[in-house]
Amino acid sequence: MENRQSHYMKSKISPFLLLFSIAAFAPGVSAESFDEYISDARAAYQRYDFAEAARQLANARKKMKGDDLIEKEESSLLQSQLNLAKSFIERVEKITVLDSISVDKAAFFKAYRLPASAGYLSDASSLPHKANDVEYVFTNEGEDFKMWAQPDSTGFFNIMESIRLTDGKWSEPVSAPDELRNGGNAEFPFMMADGVTLYYASDGEESLGGYDIFIATRDAATGEYLQPMNMGMPYNSPFDDYLLAIDELNGVGWWATDRNQLGENLTVYLFKVNDTRRNYDPDEEEANIADLALISDFHATQDPEEDYTELIESVRNISVEKKKKVDFYFPMKGGVVMTSLDDFQTSGGRAAMRKYLEAEKRLNEMSEELKSLRRDYARVSSSSLGQHILDLEKEIEAARVNLKALRNAVYKAEI
Protein backbone atom coordinates (compact mmCIF):
# COMPACT_ATOMS: atom_id res chain seq x y z
CA MET A 1 0.00 0.00 0.00
CA GLU A 2 2.81 2.36 0.89
CA ASN A 3 4.60 1.57 -2.38
CA ARG A 4 1.50 2.44 -4.37
CA GLN A 5 1.07 5.71 -2.51
CA SER A 6 4.68 6.70 -3.05
CA HIS A 7 4.33 5.90 -6.76
CA TYR A 8 1.28 8.21 -7.06
CA MET A 9 3.05 10.94 -5.15
CA LYS A 10 6.14 10.71 -7.33
CA SER A 11 4.13 10.92 -10.54
CA LYS A 12 2.00 13.80 -9.09
CA ILE A 13 -1.18 12.10 -10.37
CA SER A 14 -4.01 11.43 -7.98
CA PRO A 15 -5.68 8.00 -7.99
CA PHE A 16 -8.94 9.59 -9.17
CA LEU A 17 -7.25 11.39 -12.07
CA LEU A 18 -5.44 8.25 -13.06
CA LEU A 19 -8.68 6.27 -13.10
CA PHE A 20 -10.26 8.97 -15.24
CA SER A 21 -7.32 8.88 -17.65
CA ILE A 22 -7.51 5.12 -17.97
CA ALA A 23 -11.26 5.26 -18.59
CA ALA A 24 -10.92 8.08 -21.10
CA PHE A 25 -8.44 6.23 -23.28
CA ALA A 26 -9.66 2.69 -22.74
CA PRO A 27 -11.02 0.93 -25.85
CA GLY A 28 -14.65 1.86 -26.47
CA VAL A 29 -14.59 4.79 -24.03
CA SER A 30 -13.72 8.34 -25.10
CA ALA A 31 -14.30 11.88 -23.95
CA GLU A 32 -16.88 13.84 -25.93
CA SER A 33 -15.52 15.55 -29.03
CA PHE A 34 -16.23 18.96 -30.47
CA ASP A 35 -18.76 17.47 -32.89
CA GLU A 36 -20.64 15.70 -30.10
CA TYR A 37 -20.80 18.79 -27.90
CA ILE A 38 -21.83 21.06 -30.77
CA SER A 39 -24.51 18.54 -31.74
CA ASP A 40 -25.84 18.54 -28.17
CA ALA A 41 -25.76 22.34 -28.15
CA ARG A 42 -27.70 22.51 -31.41
CA ALA A 43 -30.29 20.03 -30.13
CA ALA A 44 -30.80 22.06 -26.94
CA TYR A 45 -31.06 25.23 -29.00
CA GLN A 46 -33.75 23.73 -31.20
CA ARG A 47 -35.85 22.81 -28.20
CA TYR A 48 -35.45 26.37 -26.84
CA ASP A 49 -33.30 25.31 -23.88
CA PHE A 50 -30.90 28.19 -24.41
CA ALA A 51 -29.08 27.80 -21.08
CA GLU A 52 -28.19 24.19 -21.86
CA ALA A 53 -27.23 25.17 -25.41
CA ALA A 54 -24.82 27.78 -24.03
CA ARG A 55 -23.31 25.23 -21.63
CA GLN A 56 -22.76 22.65 -24.36
CA LEU A 57 -21.36 25.30 -26.69
CA ALA A 58 -18.82 26.26 -24.03
CA ASN A 59 -17.81 22.59 -23.75
CA ALA A 60 -17.48 22.37 -27.52
CA ARG A 61 -15.17 25.37 -27.59
CA LYS A 62 -12.88 23.70 -25.08
CA LYS A 63 -12.47 20.86 -27.58
CA MET A 64 -11.77 23.13 -30.54
CA LYS A 65 -8.53 22.77 -32.46
CA GLY A 66 -6.90 26.16 -32.68
CA ASP A 67 -6.37 25.99 -36.45
CA ASP A 68 -9.70 24.44 -37.42
CA LEU A 69 -11.60 27.18 -39.26
CA ILE A 70 -14.70 25.03 -39.73
CA GLU A 71 -15.05 24.51 -35.98
CA LYS A 72 -14.53 28.23 -35.37
CA GLU A 73 -17.19 29.18 -37.91
CA GLU A 74 -19.67 26.60 -36.60
CA SER A 75 -19.30 27.67 -32.99
CA SER A 76 -19.40 31.37 -33.93
CA LEU A 77 -22.58 30.87 -35.98
CA LEU A 78 -24.35 29.03 -33.19
CA GLN A 79 -23.24 31.67 -30.68
CA SER A 80 -24.69 34.50 -32.79
CA GLN A 81 -27.93 32.57 -33.29
CA LEU A 82 -28.12 31.87 -29.57
CA ASN A 83 -27.59 35.53 -28.74
CA LEU A 84 -30.34 36.50 -31.16
CA ALA A 85 -32.71 33.88 -29.74
CA LYS A 86 -32.12 35.10 -26.19
CA SER A 87 -33.06 38.64 -27.22
CA PHE A 88 -36.16 37.45 -29.08
CA ILE A 89 -37.43 35.22 -26.28
CA GLU A 90 -37.66 38.31 -24.08
CA ARG A 91 -40.11 39.98 -26.52
CA VAL A 92 -42.30 37.29 -28.03
CA GLU A 93 -45.31 38.83 -29.76
CA LYS A 94 -48.65 37.81 -28.32
CA ILE A 95 -50.73 36.56 -31.22
CA THR A 96 -53.76 34.30 -31.52
CA VAL A 97 -53.13 31.28 -33.71
CA LEU A 98 -56.50 30.22 -35.09
CA ASP A 99 -55.60 27.04 -36.87
CA SER A 100 -52.74 24.89 -38.14
CA ILE A 101 -52.65 22.79 -41.29
CA SER A 102 -50.16 20.12 -42.28
CA VAL A 103 -49.44 20.33 -46.01
CA ASP A 104 -46.95 18.93 -48.49
CA LYS A 105 -43.89 21.13 -49.02
CA ALA A 106 -44.52 21.21 -52.76
CA ALA A 107 -46.71 24.23 -53.57
CA PHE A 108 -47.56 24.67 -49.87
CA PHE A 109 -48.74 28.22 -50.60
CA LYS A 110 -51.86 26.79 -52.21
CA ALA A 111 -53.15 26.19 -48.68
CA TYR A 112 -53.29 29.96 -48.11
CA ARG A 113 -56.83 31.29 -48.58
CA LEU A 114 -56.37 34.91 -49.63
CA PRO A 115 -58.99 37.23 -51.11
CA ALA A 116 -58.20 39.03 -54.37
CA SER A 117 -57.53 42.24 -52.42
CA ALA A 118 -54.41 40.62 -50.95
CA GLY A 119 -53.04 39.47 -54.29
CA TYR A 120 -52.41 36.09 -55.85
CA LEU A 121 -49.95 33.31 -54.98
CA SER A 122 -49.02 31.01 -57.85
CA ASP A 123 -46.27 28.90 -59.38
CA ALA A 124 -43.85 29.78 -62.19
CA SER A 125 -46.51 29.29 -64.88
CA SER A 126 -47.76 32.83 -64.13
CA LEU A 127 -44.38 34.41 -64.94
CA PRO A 128 -44.25 36.58 -68.07
CA HIS A 129 -40.54 35.77 -68.50
CA LYS A 130 -38.51 32.60 -68.68
CA ALA A 131 -36.76 31.85 -65.39
CA ASN A 132 -35.09 28.81 -63.88
CA ASP A 133 -35.74 27.30 -60.44
CA VAL A 134 -38.79 29.44 -59.70
CA GLU A 135 -41.40 27.77 -57.50
CA TYR A 136 -43.48 30.69 -56.27
CA VAL A 137 -44.74 34.01 -57.70
CA PHE A 138 -46.63 36.85 -56.02
CA THR A 139 -48.97 39.01 -58.13
CA ASN A 140 -50.76 42.07 -56.78
CA GLU A 141 -54.52 42.63 -56.97
CA GLY A 142 -54.23 44.84 -60.06
CA GLU A 143 -52.16 42.15 -61.79
CA ASP A 144 -49.62 44.72 -62.93
CA PHE A 145 -46.85 43.85 -60.46
CA LYS A 146 -45.08 40.54 -59.82
CA MET A 147 -42.38 39.38 -57.41
CA TRP A 148 -40.53 36.08 -57.21
CA ALA A 149 -37.08 34.69 -56.37
CA GLN A 150 -34.53 33.11 -58.67
CA PRO A 151 -30.81 32.29 -58.39
CA ASP A 152 -28.23 34.77 -59.61
CA SER A 153 -24.85 34.01 -61.19
CA THR A 154 -23.45 33.05 -57.77
CA GLY A 155 -26.25 30.58 -57.06
CA PHE A 156 -27.91 32.65 -54.34
CA PHE A 157 -31.62 33.36 -54.62
CA ASN A 158 -32.60 36.99 -54.88
CA ILE A 159 -36.01 38.65 -55.17
CA MET A 160 -37.00 39.88 -58.63
CA GLU A 161 -39.82 42.14 -59.71
CA SER A 162 -41.53 43.24 -62.89
CA ILE A 163 -44.31 45.68 -63.75
CA ARG A 164 -46.80 45.58 -66.60
CA LEU A 165 -46.45 48.44 -69.06
CA THR A 166 -49.28 50.41 -70.64
CA ASP A 167 -49.20 48.22 -73.75
CA GLY A 168 -49.78 45.10 -71.68
CA LYS A 169 -46.20 43.84 -71.92
CA TRP A 170 -44.04 43.23 -68.86
CA SER A 171 -40.87 45.13 -68.05
CA GLU A 172 -37.54 43.35 -67.84
CA PRO A 173 -37.13 41.85 -64.34
CA VAL A 174 -35.24 43.99 -61.83
CA SER A 175 -33.34 42.51 -58.92
CA ALA A 176 -33.99 43.70 -55.37
CA PRO A 177 -30.96 45.11 -53.51
CA ASP A 178 -28.52 42.67 -51.91
CA GLU A 179 -29.40 44.10 -48.48
CA LEU A 180 -32.53 41.95 -48.51
CA ARG A 181 -30.42 38.79 -48.86
CA ASN A 182 -28.23 39.81 -45.95
CA GLY A 183 -25.46 37.45 -47.02
CA GLY A 184 -27.76 34.51 -47.79
CA ASN A 185 -30.80 33.77 -49.91
CA ALA A 186 -33.96 35.89 -50.17
CA GLU A 187 -37.19 34.16 -51.22
CA PHE A 188 -40.99 34.02 -50.84
CA PRO A 189 -41.86 37.73 -51.21
CA PHE A 190 -45.28 39.08 -50.28
CA MET A 191 -45.99 42.76 -50.94
CA MET A 192 -48.80 44.42 -49.02
CA ALA A 193 -51.47 46.38 -50.90
CA ASP A 194 -49.76 49.64 -49.87
CA GLY A 195 -46.91 48.77 -52.22
CA VAL A 196 -44.25 49.62 -49.64
CA THR A 197 -44.40 46.85 -47.00
CA LEU A 198 -42.60 43.66 -48.03
CA TYR A 199 -42.52 40.39 -46.14
CA TYR A 200 -40.01 37.79 -47.30
CA ALA A 201 -37.77 34.98 -46.05
CA SER A 202 -33.97 34.95 -45.76
CA ASP A 203 -31.42 32.52 -44.36
CA GLY A 204 -28.66 35.10 -44.17
CA GLU A 205 -27.22 36.86 -41.15
CA GLU A 206 -29.64 37.86 -38.40
CA SER A 207 -31.44 34.55 -38.88
CA LEU A 208 -32.23 32.17 -36.02
CA GLY A 209 -31.34 29.27 -38.28
CA GLY A 210 -32.53 28.32 -41.74
CA TYR A 211 -35.05 30.75 -43.20
CA ASP A 212 -36.52 33.53 -41.06
CA ILE A 213 -39.30 35.95 -41.98
CA PHE A 214 -38.19 39.56 -42.43
CA ILE A 215 -40.04 42.81 -43.07
CA ALA A 216 -38.68 45.61 -45.22
CA THR A 217 -40.26 48.99 -45.92
CA ARG A 218 -39.87 50.61 -49.30
CA ASP A 219 -39.52 54.34 -49.87
CA ALA A 220 -42.44 55.18 -52.17
CA ALA A 221 -40.54 58.09 -53.72
CA THR A 222 -37.19 56.41 -54.47
CA GLY A 223 -38.15 52.72 -54.54
CA GLU A 224 -35.29 51.93 -52.15
CA TYR A 225 -35.76 49.62 -49.17
CA LEU A 226 -34.97 50.59 -45.61
CA GLN A 227 -32.97 48.19 -43.45
CA PRO A 228 -34.92 44.91 -43.19
CA MET A 229 -35.92 43.67 -39.74
CA ASN A 230 -36.32 40.14 -38.41
CA MET A 231 -39.95 39.53 -37.38
CA GLY A 232 -38.80 37.75 -34.24
CA MET A 233 -40.79 35.16 -32.32
CA PRO A 234 -43.16 33.36 -32.58
CA TYR A 235 -42.99 33.78 -36.36
CA ASN A 236 -39.37 32.63 -36.51
CA SER A 237 -37.60 29.66 -34.97
CA PRO A 238 -34.30 27.74 -35.27
CA PHE A 239 -35.95 25.94 -38.19
CA ASP A 240 -37.25 27.18 -41.57
CA ASP A 241 -40.04 29.78 -41.50
CA TYR A 242 -41.32 31.50 -44.62
CA LEU A 243 -44.02 33.18 -46.70
CA LEU A 244 -45.89 35.39 -44.29
CA ALA A 245 -48.99 36.73 -46.09
CA ILE A 246 -51.52 39.19 -44.69
CA ASP A 247 -55.25 39.33 -45.43
CA GLU A 248 -56.19 42.86 -44.36
CA LEU A 249 -59.82 42.36 -45.34
CA ASN A 250 -60.37 39.67 -42.70
CA GLY A 251 -57.63 40.68 -40.28
CA VAL A 252 -55.73 37.40 -40.51
CA GLY A 253 -52.35 36.20 -41.68
CA TRP A 254 -50.59 33.01 -42.74
CA TRP A 255 -47.08 31.66 -42.48
CA ALA A 256 -45.37 28.31 -43.00
CA THR A 257 -42.78 26.50 -40.87
CA ASP A 258 -41.07 23.14 -40.56
CA ARG A 259 -40.43 23.56 -36.82
CA ASN A 260 -42.72 20.60 -36.14
CA GLN A 261 -40.44 18.35 -38.21
CA LEU A 262 -43.16 16.56 -40.12
CA GLY A 263 -40.90 15.00 -42.74
CA GLU A 264 -42.01 16.11 -46.20
CA ASN A 265 -44.80 18.24 -44.74
CA LEU A 266 -44.89 21.80 -43.41
CA THR A 267 -47.17 23.39 -40.85
CA VAL A 268 -49.14 26.38 -42.11
CA TYR A 269 -50.46 28.63 -39.34
CA LEU A 270 -53.48 30.92 -39.58
CA PHE A 271 -53.39 33.77 -37.05
CA LYS A 272 -55.16 37.00 -36.13
CA VAL A 273 -53.25 40.12 -37.06
CA ASN A 274 -52.70 42.58 -34.21
CA ASP A 275 -53.46 46.25 -34.76
CA THR A 276 -50.48 47.08 -32.59
CA ARG A 277 -47.74 44.80 -31.35
CA ARG A 278 -48.05 43.47 -27.82
CA ASN A 279 -45.49 41.14 -26.31
CA TYR A 280 -46.02 38.41 -23.73
CA ASP A 281 -45.32 39.38 -20.13
CA PRO A 282 -43.64 36.40 -18.43
CA ASP A 283 -45.13 37.45 -15.10
CA GLU A 284 -48.67 37.29 -16.49
CA GLU A 285 -48.48 34.06 -18.44
CA GLU A 286 -49.25 30.66 -16.99
CA ALA A 287 -47.73 28.92 -19.99
CA ASN A 288 -44.00 28.75 -20.56
CA ILE A 289 -42.82 31.59 -22.82
CA ALA A 290 -40.62 29.15 -24.74
CA ASP A 291 -43.66 26.97 -25.47
CA LEU A 292 -45.59 30.00 -26.69
CA ALA A 293 -42.68 31.08 -28.87
CA LEU A 294 -42.32 27.59 -30.31
CA ILE A 295 -46.14 27.21 -30.53
CA SER A 296 -46.01 23.79 -28.92
CA ASP A 297 -49.82 23.92 -28.74
CA PHE A 298 -51.48 26.66 -30.78
CA HIS A 299 -54.64 26.41 -28.64
CA ALA A 300 -52.61 27.89 -25.74
CA THR A 301 -52.44 31.18 -27.67
CA GLN A 302 -56.24 31.50 -27.79
CA ASP A 303 -58.62 33.18 -25.37
CA PRO A 304 -60.75 30.34 -23.91
CA GLU A 305 -63.73 32.69 -23.65
CA GLU A 306 -63.74 33.54 -27.37
CA ASP A 307 -65.25 31.51 -30.19
CA TYR A 308 -63.19 31.68 -33.38
CA THR A 309 -65.27 29.21 -35.38
CA GLU A 310 -67.05 31.78 -37.57
CA LEU A 311 -63.84 33.60 -38.48
CA ILE A 312 -62.01 30.35 -39.30
CA GLU A 313 -64.87 29.11 -41.48
CA SER A 314 -65.17 32.42 -43.32
CA VAL A 315 -61.46 32.32 -44.15
CA ARG A 316 -61.63 28.68 -45.25
CA ASN A 317 -64.48 29.56 -47.62
CA ILE A 318 -62.59 32.36 -49.38
CA SER A 319 -62.48 31.72 -53.09
CA VAL A 320 -58.96 31.88 -54.46
CA GLU A 321 -60.14 31.73 -58.06
CA LYS A 322 -58.13 34.23 -60.03
CA LYS A 323 -60.20 36.97 -61.58
CA LYS A 324 -60.28 37.38 -65.34
CA LYS A 325 -57.05 38.67 -66.82
CA VAL A 326 -57.30 42.31 -67.95
CA ASP A 327 -54.55 43.58 -70.26
CA PHE A 328 -56.68 46.10 -72.15
CA TYR A 329 -60.28 47.02 -72.92
CA PHE A 330 -61.26 46.61 -76.57
CA PRO A 331 -64.99 46.80 -77.35
CA MET A 332 -66.18 44.56 -80.16
CA LYS A 333 -69.44 44.63 -82.04
CA GLY A 334 -72.40 43.17 -80.20
CA GLY A 335 -71.35 44.55 -76.80
CA VAL A 336 -68.47 42.08 -76.27
CA VAL A 337 -65.34 43.52 -74.62
CA MET A 338 -61.98 41.88 -75.15
CA THR A 339 -59.56 42.23 -72.21
CA SER A 340 -56.69 39.94 -73.24
CA LEU A 341 -55.32 38.17 -76.29
CA ASP A 342 -56.69 34.93 -74.84
CA ASP A 343 -60.22 36.25 -75.50
CA PHE A 344 -59.72 36.09 -79.27
CA GLN A 345 -60.91 32.91 -80.93
CA THR A 346 -58.76 33.18 -84.07
CA SER A 347 -55.01 33.49 -84.62
CA GLY A 348 -55.72 36.24 -87.15
CA GLY A 349 -57.64 38.20 -84.53
CA ARG A 350 -54.79 37.91 -82.05
CA ALA A 351 -52.24 39.00 -84.68
CA ALA A 352 -54.38 41.99 -85.70
CA MET A 353 -54.80 42.97 -82.04
CA ARG A 354 -51.05 42.91 -81.47
CA LYS A 355 -50.56 45.31 -84.38
CA TYR A 356 -53.28 47.56 -82.98
CA LEU A 357 -51.64 47.62 -79.53
CA GLU A 358 -48.23 48.46 -80.98
CA ALA A 359 -49.74 51.30 -83.05
CA GLU A 360 -51.66 52.58 -80.03
CA LYS A 361 -48.48 52.57 -77.96
CA ARG A 362 -46.63 54.56 -80.62
CA LEU A 363 -49.49 57.05 -80.85
CA ASN A 364 -49.42 57.55 -77.07
CA GLU A 365 -45.66 58.10 -77.15
CA MET A 366 -45.96 60.72 -79.91
CA SER A 367 -48.77 62.48 -78.02
CA GLU A 368 -46.57 62.72 -74.90
CA GLU A 369 -43.70 64.04 -77.00
CA LEU A 370 -45.99 66.69 -78.52
CA LYS A 371 -47.03 67.87 -75.05
CA SER A 372 -43.39 68.21 -74.06
CA LEU A 373 -42.53 70.17 -77.21
CA ARG A 374 -45.42 72.55 -76.69
CA ARG A 375 -44.24 73.23 -73.13
CA ASP A 376 -40.75 73.96 -74.43
CA TYR A 377 -42.14 76.23 -77.15
CA ALA A 378 -44.11 78.21 -74.55
CA ARG A 379 -40.87 78.89 -72.66
CA VAL A 380 -38.58 79.49 -75.64
CA SER A 381 -40.15 80.44 -78.99
CA SER A 382 -38.13 78.93 -81.81
CA SER A 383 -38.88 78.56 -85.53
CA SER A 384 -37.18 75.14 -85.68
CA LEU A 385 -39.10 73.98 -82.63
CA GLY A 386 -42.34 75.28 -84.15
CA GLN A 387 -41.70 73.34 -87.35
CA HIS A 388 -40.97 70.20 -85.33
CA ILE A 389 -44.34 70.58 -83.62
CA LEU A 390 -46.16 70.97 -86.95
CA ASP A 391 -44.45 67.88 -88.38
CA LEU A 392 -45.28 65.83 -85.30
CA GLU A 393 -48.92 66.94 -85.42
CA LYS A 394 -49.16 65.61 -88.99
CA GLU A 395 -47.60 62.31 -87.92
CA ILE A 396 -50.08 61.98 -85.09
CA GLU A 397 -53.02 62.65 -87.39
CA ALA A 398 -51.77 59.96 -89.78
CA ALA A 399 -51.27 57.57 -86.85
CA ARG A 400 -54.86 58.11 -85.74
CA VAL A 401 -56.14 57.27 -89.22
CA ASN A 402 -53.94 54.16 -89.24
CA LEU A 403 -55.16 53.14 -85.79
CA LYS A 404 -58.76 53.32 -86.97
CA ALA A 405 -57.90 51.08 -89.92
CA LEU A 406 -56.18 48.60 -87.60
CA ARG A 407 -59.26 48.59 -85.34
CA ASN A 408 -61.41 47.62 -88.33
CA ALA A 409 -58.86 44.93 -89.20
CA VAL A 410 -59.32 43.43 -85.75
CA TYR A 411 -63.10 43.34 -86.26
CA LYS A 412 -62.78 41.64 -89.66
CA ALA A 413 -60.18 39.10 -88.51
CA GLU A 414 -62.28 37.92 -85.57
CA ILE A 415 -65.56 37.53 -87.52
Side-chain angles (χ1 to χ4, degrees):
M1 186 69 177
E2 291 180 357
N3 291 335
R4 288 182 180 178
Q5 289 177 339
S6 61
H7 171 73
Y8 293 143
M9 292 296 293
K10 288 178 182 179
S11 63
K12 297 184 180 180
I13 301 177
S14 71
F16 298 100
L17 184 57
L18 182 61
L19 288 172
F20 173 79
S21 301
I22 294 172
F25 295 99
V29 180
S30 63
E32 285 198 79
S33 65
F34 171 85
D35 290 338
E36 290 170 319
Y37 277 126
I38 204 75
S39 178
D40 290 342
R42 178 67 63 183
Y45 175 63
Q46 290 180 342
R47 62 176 185 267
Y48 287 48
D49 188 347
F50 302 142
E52 175 64 12
R55 191 178 73 83
Q56 295 293 353
L57 179 57
N59 289 334
R61 283 179 162 163
K62 293 177 183 177
K63 296 290 183 178
M64 284 173 54
K65 304 177 187 69
D67 58 348
D68 194 321
L69 295 179
I70 294 178
E71 289 183 351
K72 286 182 179 179
E73 290 180 1
E74 191 169 359
S75 64
S76 178
L77 175 62
L78 182 54
Q79 183 65 68
S80 64
Q81 291 173 342
L82 187 56
N83 292 341
L84 191 62
K86 287 179 178 178
S87 68
F88 284 159
I89 201 69
E90 295 175 355
R91 44 192 173 93
V92 178
E93 184 173 357
K94 188 173 185 177
I95 64 172
T96 299
V97 179
L98 300 169
D99 199 5
S100 69
I101 312 167
S102 177
V103 299
D104 191 279
K105 287 183 180 179
F108 69 91
F109 54 84
K110 292 182 179 180
Y112 291 40
R113 313 297 295 182
L114 293 174
S117 59
Y120 305 94
L121 315 183
S122 59
D123 57 26
S125 63
S126 66
L127 271 183
H129 314 90
K130 288 185 178 180
N132 297 322
D133 300 318
V134 176
E135 298 178 353
Y136 158 84
V137 179
F138 166 79
T139 306
N140 69 340
E141 180 187 12
E143 296 189 68
D144 56 7
F145 175 76
K146 291 181 182 289
M147 299 189 86
W148 66 95
Q150 66 184 58
D152 60 17
S153 59
T154 64
F156 283 97
F157 279 79
N158 203 8
I159 293 174
M160 311 293 292
E161 62 182 69
S162 177
I163 60 173
R164 191 170 58 189
L165 305 174
T166 55
D167 62 353
K169 295 180 181 179
W170 288 85
S171 67
E172 284 299 312
V174 176
S175 175
D178 288 342
E179 285 79 4
L180 296 187
R181 281 176 38 198
N182 205 9
N185 298 284
E187 296 193 68
F188 302 105
F190 179 86
M191 180 67 78
M192 294 288 289
D194 60 11
V196 299
T197 306
L198 173 68
Y199 295 102
Y200 70 100
S202 172
D203 61 354
E205 298 175 15
E206 301 301 319
S207 167
L208 287 170
Y211 281 94
D212 273 13
I213 299 168
F214 287 77
I215 181 172
T217 303
R218 191 176 210 166
D219 188 313
T222 65
E224 297 180 354
Y225 287 98
L226 303 180
Q227 184 65 33
M229 293 180 58
N230 190 305
M231 288 284 290
M233 297 176 179
Y235 308 102
N236 294 320
S237 69
F239 302 91
D240 286 322
D241 303 273
Y242 28 65
L243 190 50
L244 187 145
I246 302 296
D247 169 8
E248 291 183 287
L249 184 64
N250 295 287
V252 298
W254 304 78
W255 92 91
T257 178
D258 67 358
R259 69 184 67 185
N260 298 320
Q261 300 176 294
L262 301 175
E264 293 302 312
N265 281 15
L266 299 175
T267 298
V268 174
Y269 287 119
L270 171 67
F271 68 100
K272 286 185 67 177
V273 176
N274 294 325
D275 294 329
T276 57
R277 180 171 179 130
R278 179 189 171 197
N279 297 334
Y280 283 110
D281 184 343
D283 296 330
E284 296 180 359
E285 300 302 327
E286 295 182 5
N288 188 304
I289 292 295
D291 289 338
L292 293 169
L294 182 58
I295 313 182
S296 301
D297 176 11
F298 77 85
H299 294 95
T301 69
Q302 299 179 355
D303 185 341
E305 297 183 1
E306 283 199 42
D307 185 0
Y308 305 102
T309 306
E310 185 176 349
L311 175 57
I312 294 172
E313 287 302 316
S314 66
V315 171
R316 284 177 176 171
N317 292 330
I318 291 175
S319 173
V320 293
E321 290 293 325
K322 191 174 181 181
K323 67 181 183 181
K324 192 175 184 298
K325 184 179 180 182
V326 177
D327 290 331
F328 49 77
Y329 290 93
F330 188 87
M332 299 285 288
K333 294 178 180 180
V336 177
V337 178
M338 301 296 200
T339 59
S340 75
L341 291 175
D342 296 336
D343 290 339
F344 289 87
Q345 302 299 311
T346 66
S347 59
R350 287 190 288 272
M353 189 64 206
R354 288 192 185 95
K355 290 181 179 180
Y356 176 86
L357 290 173
E358 290 175 1
E360 184 182 49
K361 178 185 176 183
R362 176 55 185 152
L363 176 58
N364 291 334
E365 290 174 347
M366 289 191 295
S367 297
E368 289 300 317
E369 183 182 358
L370 182 60
K371 290 179 183 177
S372 178
L373 290 173
R374 284 172 173 168
R375 285 194 295 267
D376 292 342
Y377 188 78
R379 290 193 299 268
V380 181
S381 179
S382 166
S383 58
S384 61
L385 189 58
Q387 185 60 49
H388 191 179
I389 291 174
L390 291 174
D391 292 341
L392 187 56
E393 286 175 340
K394 291 179 181 179
E395 285 186 51
I396 289 175
E397 184 59 32
R400 285 175 178 157
V401 173
N402 181 54
L403 192 65
K404 185 176 180 180
L406 290 174
R407 177 182 287 274
N408 291 329
V410 173
Y411 294 152
K412 293 178 181 179
E414 189 64 9
I415 293 176

